[in-house]
Amino acid sequence: MAFGGDPLLALVVAGSGGVAGVLTGRKLTDFWPAGSVFMVTIAVLCVLPVVWTTVFLRYIIEHGVSAETIFLVSAGAILYTVFLPSDLLAQLERWQIMLRCRWRRARSSVKPCPPGYAPMVSVQVPIHAEPPEIVIRTLNALSQLDYTNYEVLVIDNNTADEDLWRPVERHCAMLGPRFRFLHVEGITGAKAGALNWARPYMNPGTELVGVVDADYVVAPDWLTHAVGHFVDLRMGFVQYPHAYRDHESSVFRSMANAEYRGFFYSDMIGLDENRAGITVGTMSLIRLAALDRAGGWAEWCLTEDSELAIRIHACGYTSTYVERPYGWGLIPDTWSGYKKQRFRWTYGPVQELRRHAGLFRPGRRRIPSMLDLTQRIYHANHGVKNAIEGIRFAGLVLGPALLLSMIAHHDTWPFPLAWIVPFAAISIGRQALRWTLCRNILGYDIRDYVGWALASKALTYTIGQASLAALLGRKAIWRRTDKFRRIQPRFAALQSAAAEGVFAVVFLAFTVLSVTVLPMGILSMAIAYGFLTQSITFAAAPMLSYLSHREQRKSSPAHSVPIPTLPNTNHLLTRTGDVYQARR
């Protein structure tokens, strides 16, 4: 039915599915039967759109549709078909946590150490214009680590206001010689630049480098449980998930937390299983030799963390991702802060793809490295799937253009109800998988699930904008996530989601236009449904912006929220130590 009654095409597709099932089923011994079905479905779906698009174009040409409409339909179909393999690979990456019955990679949180193994760890806390009380909490937690052989370097770069960094400097002195404060002005490269600049100031015996964000409260047993992984000399880095505190009392922050967790407890596990795990900027422990061999931190990239993983793997080192969190940070309080963060996380991977395409491409033109085929595919797709979002965002113009062309040329055609079946099945199946992941893996209830869905949709404009800017080579600066809890003016709260609001209204107008101008039927309803979906997607952003602003106005004074209970640190506050400053 989906092929317009053409039995030959239906037989070809069914036969392709059968062959794919036989060939892949023998190889998928690590997957549950449902996982094998999923993999076969992916193989079939890579072929199916090409066949279906051919049938559909032939069908509308037979009904005398104008050349302009045919061109727009063809452009949309081509984009969908080209993007599909990357989309499906990203889905496989996310759903692997539910599809596998056996794992090749052990993600144990504790790795036993041989007696006497205690490599020197330099824990680095890069800061810039941070609230001093936030940083001091982080340092107090680091002072309680139950590991003996470590130092803490607090690297303050380009903070002009001495009232922000002087209290941190004094607190480092009080915590003792293990804590050193470095202040530098005039350097570039943001966080990566600060980390590179601090390289000569590390303890000469340093073997491992830990990176902790300024707002992270770290568990005392972090290093004790982590260093054992580096007994294996091939281990380049160990990564722990982002985790957050102080979100239960806020609807906005709870929604953001639900959206974050989906990546760290599904996608990151899938990447690690395929030996293509990435570092994520905090709660990272890196072998210094691997960092040096890879060339240090990339000051040109907005995601200097995930970019470093590519080069470390290219040098032949391995990595591991541990699911258990050992540190808890703060979620952005405002919609604008949430957007800035996601802009970096989208723009950076596209930069990585453009810079390292020579490592990923097939054939003799590939730059030689230690990356195997699976690593090249997954590292490349980390950039490709973000790059696709920019092209998809630009492609949103095709829908309105198609409707206007149909109206102008009086184009219409019978739309068999059966044609909707495969698309409806895919959509329902995807939602079922997403709900199963949320319920069974993330432990979400329906409220968490809705929060995750709305937060994901609300970021559509930001992700598309960041991706498109990176693809076009537009410069972007590294913008830190503001941790000062300021109450924004109403105008600023509305302005931060103004573009999304305009898009929501425009697509709603096209929804109304499609059901009022086109002849009522399945075709007009399908087009209206597509526009309405886009309108709701963009409308989620103003809703979250309003929600964050309303909660800000009702919240208590800045940073008065509780943090996880830590052992008493008062006995450390009478000690004195060295303070280091450097100026360029």
Side-chain angles (χ1 to χ4, degrees):
M1 292 172 65
F3 291 96
D6 191 327
L8 180 59
L9 282 174
L11 184 62
V12 168
V13 173
S16 301
V19 172
V22 171
L23 294 178
T24 57
R26 294 179 178 179
K27 299 290 185 180
L28 301 179
T29 56
D30 294 336
F31 287 79
W32 296 107
S36 299
V37 171
F38 184 88
M39 297 287 283
V40 171
T41 303
I42 284 180
V44 174
L45 286 178
C46 287
V47 179
L48 186 61
V50 178
V51 180
W52 191 87
T53 299
T54 304
V55 174
F56 180 68
L57 288 176
R58 187 180 67 182
Y59 180 81
I60 63 175
I61 290 172
E62 291 174 352
H63 283 81
V65 174
S66 65
E68 292 82 356
T69 298
I70 292 174
F71 171 77
L72 292 169
V73 171
S74 301
I78 290 171
L79 287 178
Y80 178 81
T81 303
V82 170
F83 295 163
L84 193 60
S86 177
D87 285 343
L88 293 173
L89 182 60
Q91 288 180 41
L92 176 61
E93 176 186 303
R94 166 158 290 188
W95 309 131
Q96 274 195 56
I97 189 67
M98 298 185 296
L99 303 177
R100 282 186 172 273
C101 57
R102 280 186 292 272
W103 296 86
R104 293 168 295 181
R105 309 271 286 171
R107 299 180 302 279
S108 173
S109 60
V110 182
K111 195 76 170 179
C113 294
Y117 182 75
M120 178 65 190
V121 181
S122 179
V123 180
Q124 302 185 353
V125 185
I127 63 174
H128 168 72
E130 306 288 358
E133 58 269 34
I134 292 261
V135 183
I136 287 171
R137 290 182 179 185
T138 296
L139 300 182
N140 284 345
L142 290 172
S143 73
Q144 300 299 315
L145 292 176
D146 57 12
Y147 187 76
T148 57
N149 196 20
Y150 76 100
E151 66 173 0
V152 177
L153 297 185
V154 182
I155 311 160
D156 180 78
N157 77 94
N158 299 321
T159 301
D161 188 350
E162 287 196 23
D163 290 338
L164 295 180
W165 64 266
R166 285 293 184 186
V168 179
E169 176 189 57
R170 290 193 294 269
H171 196 73
C172 283
M174 295 170 67
L175 288 175
R178 177 171 280 157
F179 286 75
R180 290 187 282 152
F181 184 88
L182 308 174
H183 176 77
V184 61
E185 297 177 2
I187 64 169
T188 59
K191 182 178 179 179
L195 293 172
N196 284 335
W197 174 84
R199 173 65 179 87
Y201 294 91
M202 292 185 201
N203 184 302
T206 297
E207 295 183 47
L208 306 178
V209 177
V211 182
V212 176
D213 276 353
D215 59 323
Y216 263 70
V217 175
V218 179
D221 54 359
W222 172 44
L223 292 182
T224 304
H225 289 180
V227 296
H229 291 281
F230 291 91
V231 172
D232 180 359
L233 296 179
R234 299 173 303 163
M235 183 62 64
F237 64 86
V238 178
Q239 180 61 59
Y240 297 85
H242 283 191
Y244 300 93
R245 64 185 194 267
D246 178 37
H247 57 80
E248 295 86 355
S249 60
S250 164
V251 176
F252 170 73
R253 292 196 295 272
S254 293
M255 294 170 72
N257 182 65
E259 191 268 331
Y260 287 138
R261 278 176 54 83
F263 174 78
F264 287 101
Y265 293 95
S266 59
D267 300 54
M268 283 287 283
I269 294 171
L271 287 171
D272 180 68
E273 176 66 15
N274 291 282
R275 305 181 307 285
I278 59 175
T279 55
V280 290
T282 187
M283 301 307 300
S284 309
L285 197 59
I286 306 165
R287 188 182 296 277
L288 181 57
L291 177 63
D292 287 342
R293 185 178 175 187
W297 299 92
E299 300 180 22
W300 52 267
C301 188
L302 261 60
T303 47
E304 75 292 326
D305 41 19
S306 61
E307 189 279 337
L308 176 64
I310 298 173
R311 287 182 287 122
I312 287 179
H313 287 151
C315 290
Y317 290 95
T318 185
S319 64
T320 191
Y321 174 68
V322 179
E323 296 173 48
R324 174 183 166 181
Y326 281 82
W328 297 265
L330 295 173
I331 292 175
D333 284 314
T334 64
W335 169 245
S336 59
Y338 191 40
K339 287 177 62 174
K340 286 178 184 177
Q341 192 180 64
R342 192 50 54 96
F343 187 96
R344 294 198 312 266
W345 294 353
T346 304
Y347 188 99
V350 182
Q351 284 183 298
E352 297 169 21
L353 178 67
R354 295 183 62 174
R355 176 64 69 95
H356 296 305
L359 288 172
F360 306 142
R361 67 167 57 102
R364 296 179 179 177
R365 296 178 59 195
R366 184 174 70 252
I367 297 174
S369 75
M370 299 295 288
L371 294 173
D372 61 29
L373 177 60
T374 301
Q375 288 177 311
R376 295 202 307 271
I377 290 173
Y378 276 90
H379 275 309
N381 199 54
H382 183 63
V384 169
K385 67 183 181 184
N386 282 284
I388 283 174
E389 296 300 329
I391 302 173
R392 185 177 283 128
F393 179 67
L396 289 176
V397 71
L398 292 176
L402 175 62
L403 177 60
L404 295 177
S405 176
M406 292 174 64
I407 294 172
H409 298 96
H410 306 286
D411 288 333
T412 185
W413 56 87
F415 198 88
L417 180 61
W419 283 11
I420 299 177
V421 172
F423 298 101
I426 292 172
S427 178
I428 293 170
R430 185 175 297 175
Q431 292 301 324
L433 280 168
R434 189 171 292 145
W435 165 245
T436 304
L437 175 71
C438 287
R439 185 190 62 183
N440 293 355
I441 306 300
L442 304 179
Y444 287 177
D445 56 21
I446 189 65
R447 179 180 177 180
D448 296 324
Y449 175 73
V450 172
W452 179 32
L454 286 176
S456 300
K457 289 183 179 297
L459 291 166
T460 299
Y461 173 81
T462 300
I463 292 172
Q465 180 193 34
S467 173
L468 199 57
L471 284 171
L472 296 176
R474 295 178 58 184
K475 290 185 178 180
I477 61 175
W478 204 100
R479 297 182 183 272
R480 59 178 283 276
T481 303
D482 190 357
K483 300 175 185 68
F484 288 94
R485 292 186 174 176
R486 305 183 180 95
I487 297 178
Q488 290 184 313
R490 293 184 186 275
F491 177 75
L494 293 173
Q495 188 181 35
S496 64
E500 293 94 326
V502 170
F503 273 92
V505 171
V506 168
F507 278 103
L508 182 60
F510 276 97
T511 303
V512 175
L513 188 64
S514 60
V515 295
T516 55
V517 177
L518 293 179
M520 185 58 65
I522 296 175
L523 178 61
S524 62
M525 295 303 293
I527 293 175
Y529 174 78
F531 285 132
L532 182 61
T533 301
Q534 290 295 339
S535 179
I536 294 172
T537 295
F538 286 111
M543 186 193 77
L544 263 67
S545 181
Y546 168 77
L547 185 62
S548 66
H549 177 71
R550 188 187 69 175
E551 290 184 342
Q552 263 195 321
R553 300 189 71 86
K554 293 181 178 180
S555 64
S556 55
H559 314 304
S560 62
V561 295
I563 62 172
T565 302
L566 295 171
N568 187 283
T569 59
N570 292 335
H571 66 287
L572 296 172
L573 301 184
T574 58
R575 300 173 61 183
T576 59
D578 297 328
V579 176
Y580 289 74
Q581 289 191 47
R583 295 180 183 271
R584 179 185 293 177

